[in-house]
Amino acid sequence: MAQEITARARITGMHCAACSARIERILRATDGVSKADVSLAAESLAVTFDPDQTSPEAMSALIADAGFGAVFETTVGSGEATLFLAITGMTCASCSARIERVLRAADGVLRADVNLASETAQIVYDPVRTKSQALRQLIADAGFGSQIVSRSAALFEERRRDAALRLDAQKRELIPAFGFALPVLYLSMGHMLGLPLPLFLHPEHSPAAFACAQLLLTLPVLLAGRGFYLRGIPALLRRAPNMDSLVALGTGAAFAHSLWNTVLILLGHDPVNAVLRAMDLYYESAAVLLAMISLGKYLEARSRLKTSDAVRALVSLAPETATVLRPASPGQDQLGPEEVRVPAAEVAPGDVVLVRPGERLPVDGLVQEGLSAVDESLLTGESLPVAKAPGDRVAAGTLNGSGALTIRAEKTGEDTLLARIVDLVQQAQGSKAPIANLADRISAVFVPVVMAAAVLSALAWLVAGQDWGFALKIFTAVMVIACPCAMGLATPMSIMVATGRGAQLGVLVKSGEALQAAGAVQAVVFDKTGTLTFGKPELVEFILAPGIGVSESELLALAAGAESRSEHPLAQAVLAEASARGLFVPVPESFNSLPGRGIEAVVSGLRVRLGNAVFAGAAFSAIANSNGAIASGSAPLAEAVARLSALGMTPLCLELDGRPAAVLGVADQLRPEAPAVLRQLRELGIRTVMLTGDNERTAAAVAASASAAGGALDEVLAGIMPAGKAAEIARLKERGFKVAMVGDGVNDAPALALADVGLAMGSGIDAAVESGDIVLMREGLSGVLTALALSRAAMRNIRQNLFWAFAFNTIGIPVAAGLLFAFGGPTLNPMLAGTAMGLSSVTVVANALRLRFFTP
């Protein structure tokens, strides 16, 4: 069997949860398909399949046979590449057809689709057999222009444009729907409420005119709402009824009954009962039902469009053009490189890009020249601008401050961090959470059950002695009050909004499963180095020998000069502190490294020795009592060495021309926010654990520092190698905990994968983006609290949605079936039932949209 691959597709034609459930059933029953998830809210499909047994084309055909459309967008792991182009010069359908013919005939092109309306082309090709430049040249030879556009941006804008067009069409249909439904309602019900009605339209004086007027006013409403019939009746004939089928049957039954009575009135077979037949018309039910349900669907669609605001904000960060610095052309009278403005999608790795003040960065890369502060808030959630200098990394989409920057591009186009974030967010928005399984199972059988309930309710009332008009009223009310949409939207809407909001806050949630798992976390395991601590040694103490006669700054400069030839992390800590203090670091005249002990160097004519206590000599070695305590009378430097060691620091002993001069305490510092994060986790009832490969003394020192600042750990596990971290995660899970692992995404991959949810830190580095279920883009640990709080808020929101969706149908269907009437209460008017159905979905969507304003 070939290796399975995953494909994503945009699904068209879905209108309720029954539609998405049907597509899932069809695909899951297909040979070679191991997983298929359809999101009603995102209108997307993610399917994992064996390419030897099926293909995107075969699955598209199956989906088309079911009455829906599928446009496959990307295939992961297939060895294919997808090129997105903006096409210029097309004027008619023959232009787009010509481009498609030219491309499809080219060697290596697997699929080519050109959209005349959006002036775009999507080309799937084998990158081994052809290149994007060759494909663009074919288009140019055909007489058209092309420009590479971002895949994420192209797909997103295409979806949003399609959604906006559908929304405009729904809005246009509302005008005739309400323009004619309201007069029908006045005509049929007004005289009952004492409102004036002309005698030539009054049912008691002119029943034929009364019936015909309602018929003529109802027909435009049926025309405006024809989509319900065009979608619902074919779905019913395919034995796959959906919400449109319920509306079509309910309103169709009311209209057919009314039309039959109108025919009998016009034929004059029973003039005595003409008035009674005129009073037994339900045109207003059909017309107002269609108008109100259409209004509900419009409000739902308008609200759903807002769920993509977070992704739209991310997509808009990518600038369309970039200024590339290129060598001046031969013979050109110009000093320095030439500034060329090009489309951002055409910038290649290695190009040097100039970013002026106030511009957004078009690429990921390294700063070569310039000093500035870059606003990364929309990418990482960090509100304060970050200072950038030569050698610092920058990311596409961030906003440059007041200084100009020259950047060497490393990643461009679809490879940038921004493009990958957009892609991951869109994948997450189309994913499902396990909590949706119950709603999915019910949605799959919901419509047939409701239809049976409507028929049985009508028959029961007929048997109970009620007339056909009453039974029809019950039948219609049951059919139109049931709403599978609310159940189908309850989970995906919350996931879409929550993952989008998370991306804005610097928390990248990769799937609905991760979102749900994070909401149930009971224990959080932290890696120490690079997670609870900064991951790099820092000089934190400097103890001078009594009477040395040299200042701390002078000694630090000499120590830094001696260490300037060393690559050891401890040496880098000394150099970093000297640089931070703005000290001049002299160049050593000689240098000798003694691995495992220290260094010797001659700096400014002085012999400098720096290393551990054994290397430094007796002056730095404390005398201990039999019980291990430092004996009184030990030299001050020896006592300092012992104290720093007990605190988990690394003491560096400094000698100057053979004299003990100072002790430097170097340590990997605890992040300042760590104690507060640990304290808040414990307040939430979450167990906190630290895992580290360091020795117990260092681990205990870090734990003590956290505890002293109010952030005690529940458990500290030291001496754990990377391979053993996964075993410790497994041990916690065996004890019944839902475990989250927080690591730097580099050497914690096994533990991150084994945990119920892995939170990868790394401020957006590649390793972090690829590992873990949730990526914390912002520097620091505060993202852990944000991720857990967001997931809990999202799960609370989903449970609210599911409760109201199930409660609405559980209560609404019996009431519509006449339960209250059986005990002396009122019946539910079909018009109110249809209004309630339309607004139930709007309620669910509106509740999900509240997550847009989530603040940790």
Side-chain angles (χ1 to χ4, degrees):
M1 185 179 75
Q3 182 180 359
E4 287 189 329
I5 59 179
T6 299
R8 292 163 54 198
R10 181 163 52 92
I11 304 297
T12 58
M14 293 192 299
H15 296 88
C16 69
C19 300
S20 56
R22 174 164 172 75
I23 296 172
E24 286 182 347
R25 283 201 309 275
I26 291 171
L27 291 178
R28 289 170 182 172
T30 303
D31 290 339
V33 174
S34 61
K35 183 179 180 181
D37 289 322
V38 178
S39 171
L40 173 63
E43 298 182 327
S44 65
L45 161 70
V47 57
T48 303
F49 63 98
D50 180 354
D52 287 345
Q53 294 183 272
T54 188
S55 66
E57 291 78 10
M59 290 184 285
S60 293
L62 290 172
I63 294 171
D65 291 342
F68 308 97
V71 180
F72 279 83
E73 298 166 349
T74 60
T75 305
V76 181
S78 64
E80 300 174 357
T82 306
L83 178 66
F84 291 83
L85 299 174
I87 306 295
T88 58
M90 293 191 298
T91 58
C92 64
S94 62
C95 298
S96 58
R98 172 169 169 72
I99 298 174
E100 285 185 346
R101 284 197 306 273
V102 169
L103 291 173
R104 290 171 181 173
D107 180 50
V109 173
L110 306 176
R111 291 193 302 276
D113 297 301
V114 180
N115 189 316
L116 176 63
S118 61
E119 297 185 324
T120 59
Q122 179 179 338
I123 309 164
V124 180
Y125 64 98
D126 182 350
V128 176
R129 295 160 60 192
T130 188
K131 303 297 180 186
S132 60
Q133 297 89 335
L135 298 176
R136 293 185 63 195
Q137 186 59 49
L138 288 174
I139 295 173
D141 293 342
F144 304 94
S146 67
Q147 178 179 318
I148 299 174
V149 294
S150 165
R151 179 185 62 80
S152 299
L155 294 176
F156 175 78
E157 288 302 331
E158 184 178 350
R159 285 184 177 181
R160 193 173 179 90
R161 182 168 48 248
D162 290 346
L165 290 173
R166 292 198 303 270
L167 189 64
D168 287 342
Q170 288 178 282
K171 186 176 182 180
R172 289 193 300 271
E173 290 172 355
L174 287 178
I175 297 173
F178 276 94
F180 289 95
L182 292 178
V184 173
L185 181 63
Y186 182 94
L187 185 60
S188 62
M189 307 291 289
H191 64 285
M192 300 180 187
L193 302 174
L195 298 175
L197 196 64
L199 289 179
F200 73 90
L201 287 178
H202 201 285
E204 295 180 2
H205 295 83
S206 305
F210 177 76
C212 289
Q214 289 188 61
L215 171 61
L216 293 175
L217 289 170
T218 302
L219 289 175
V221 182
L222 294 178
L223 182 63
R226 63 191 178 279
F228 291 106
Y229 303 95
L230 296 176
R231 297 185 298 263
I233 301 302
L236 184 63
L237 296 176
R238 287 193 296 268
R239 292 183 295 178
N242 54 23
M243 187 211 73
D244 292 329
S245 303
L246 296 179
V247 175
L249 288 177
T251 57
F255 179 78
H257 175 82
S258 304
L259 183 62
W260 177 246
N261 276 339
T262 300
V263 171
L264 293 179
I265 292 172
L266 292 176
L267 293 177
H269 288 315
D270 192 1
V272 176
N273 290 322
V275 173
L276 294 177
R277 292 189 185 281
M279 302 299 290
D280 192 28
L281 300 176
Y282 292 95
Y283 285 121
E284 82 285 352
S285 291
V288 176
L289 270 173
L290 285 174
M292 293 306 300
I293 293 172
S294 297
L295 176 62
K297 299 300 287 183
Y298 168 76
L299 294 175
E300 174 195 325
R302 192 177 68 172
S303 299
R304 284 168 61 180
L305 196 60
K306 295 179 182 178
T307 62
S308 61
D309 286 350
V311 177
R312 189 181 193 184
L314 288 172
V315 169
S316 66
L317 295 180
E320 294 183 356
T321 59
T323 302
V324 178
L325 300 181
R326 291 175 177 162
S329 303
Q332 189 174 8
D333 186 16
Q334 179 178 329
L335 296 176
E338 179 184 2
E339 297 181 9
V340 181
R341 200 74 176 171
V342 300
E346 295 183 7
V347 179
D351 284 347
V352 178
V353 178
L354 173 65
V355 182
R356 295 184 173 87
E359 291 184 338
R360 291 202 176 273
L361 279 65
V363 297
D364 292 356
L366 283 175
V367 176
Q368 287 197 314
E369 295 180 12
L371 297 171
S372 187
V374 175
D375 181 359
E376 300 177 342
S377 58
L378 284 177
L379 204 59
T380 66
E382 177 58 60
S383 57
L384 296 176
V386 180
K388 298 294 181 182
D392 289 338
R393 293 190 179 278
V394 289
T398 54
L399 181 64
N400 188 25
S402 58
L405 294 175
T406 301
I407 300 165
R408 181 168 295 280
E410 292 185 330
K411 294 185 177 180
T412 63
E414 297 307 309
D415 294 326
T416 64
L417 177 63
L418 174 62
R420 292 162 67 195
I421 288 175
V422 171
D423 194 45
L424 285 173
V425 171
Q426 289 181 309
Q427 287 185 48
Q429 290 187 334
S431 67
K432 286 193 172 182
I435 195 174
N437 291 339
L438 176 61
D440 289 344
R441 287 195 297 268
I442 293 177
S443 298
V445 298
F446 184 84
V447 174
V449 169
V450 169
M451 294 173 64
V455 173
L456 291 175
S457 299
L459 291 175
W461 284 112
L462 285 174
V463 172
Q466 295 292 335
D467 58 24
W468 278 102
F470 184 89
L472 177 63
K473 181 178 178 181
I474 294 295
F475 173 82
T476 304
V478 173
M479 291 288 276
V480 299
I481 198 172
C483 185
C485 293
M487 290 186 293
L489 292 171
T491 300
M493 288 302 300
S494 297
I495 290 175
M496 285 186 70
V497 182
T499 51
R501 179 58 179 155
Q504 292 177 324
L505 295 171
V507 175
L508 191 57
V509 183
K510 290 188 176 181
S511 67
E513 292 92 333
L515 191 68
Q516 180 171 339
V521 163
Q522 298 166 307
V524 177
V525 179
F526 293 91
D527 175 45
K528 180 185 77 70
T529 306
T531 302
L532 283 176
T533 66
F534 284 104
K536 58 180 181 180
E538 295 180 16
L539 181 61
V540 294
E541 285 206 42
F542 202 111
I543 300 102
L544 292 174
I548 186 63
V550 183
S551 71
E552 180 178 313
S553 295
E554 290 174 315
L555 282 176
L556 179 58
L558 290 171
E563 294 282 23
S564 63
R565 296 283 179 86
S566 174
E567 297 296 328
H568 197 282
L570 297 179
Q572 300 307 308
V574 176
L575 286 164
E577 181 63 20
S579 176
R581 296 191 188 187
L583 301 178
F584 170 74
V585 178
V587 178
E589 297 152 27
S590 66
F591 174 82
N592 183 33
S593 175
L594 302 168
R597 301 179 64 194
I599 62 164
E600 293 180 336
V602 175
V603 184
S604 300
L606 300 172
R607 187 165 60 90
V608 179
R609 284 165 54 92
L610 197 62
N612 57 36
V614 175
F615 173 62
F620 294 94
S621 298
I623 302 171
N625 292 327
S626 59
N627 61 4
I630 299 171
S632 59
S634 293
L637 293 184
E639 292 180 0
V641 169
R643 180 177 60 82
L644 294 176
S645 298
L647 292 175
M649 298 186 194
T650 301
L652 292 178
C653 303
L654 175 63
E655 284 188 355
L656 194 62
D657 279 342
R659 292 181 301 156
V663 175
L664 288 67
V666 178
D668 184 6
Q669 287 283 75
L670 186 72
R671 291 183 183 272
E673 74 278 5
V677 170
L678 293 172
R679 183 177 63 254
Q680 291 181 57
L681 287 174
R682 295 191 71 185
E683 290 172 355
L684 291 172
I686 296 175
R687 185 174 182 81
T688 55
V689 181
M690 181 176 73
L691 276 180
T692 179
D694 280 346
N695 57 60
E696 291 187 6
R697 185 177 62 185
T698 302
V702 172
S705 297
S707 181
L713 286 152
D714 292 305
E715 194 173 352
V716 177
L717 301 171
I720 309 296
M721 294 298 102
K725 292 181 180 180
E728 293 297 333
I729 296 294
R731 183 180 61 83
L732 280 169
K733 293 174 70 174
E734 288 172 0
R735 290 165 57 187
F737 290 104
K738 295 291 184 182
V739 182
M741 171 70 188
V742 185
D744 58 15
V746 178
N747 61 356
D748 300 313
L752 288 168
L754 188 61
D756 293 294
V757 57
L759 288 87
M761 293 181 59
S763 303
I765 62 172
D766 291 346
V769 173
E770 297 302 329
S771 62
D773 305 300
I774 298 176
V775 181
L776 309 179
M777 306 298 294
R778 184 190 298 186
E779 179 70 28
L781 286 171
S782 60
V784 174
L785 292 173
T786 301
L788 297 184
L790 175 65
S791 64
R792 291 188 175 196
M795 295 312 299
R796 187 164 55 247
N797 191 275
I798 288 172
R799 292 187 186 97
Q800 291 168 354
N801 283 347
L802 288 173
F803 170 81
W804 287 114
F806 283 115
F808 173 83
N809 287 291
T810 302
I811 296 172
I813 293 175
V815 171
L819 180 63
L820 297 180
F821 184 79
F823 292 94
T827 58
L828 183 64
N829 189 296
M831 291 182 290
L832 294 178
T835 301
M837 189 273 273
L839 294 180
S840 64
S841 296
V842 177
T843 302
V844 167
V845 176
N847 187 52
L849 286 174
R850 292 190 305 113
L851 289 171
R852 291 192 304 164
F853 309 105
F854 167 81
T855 302

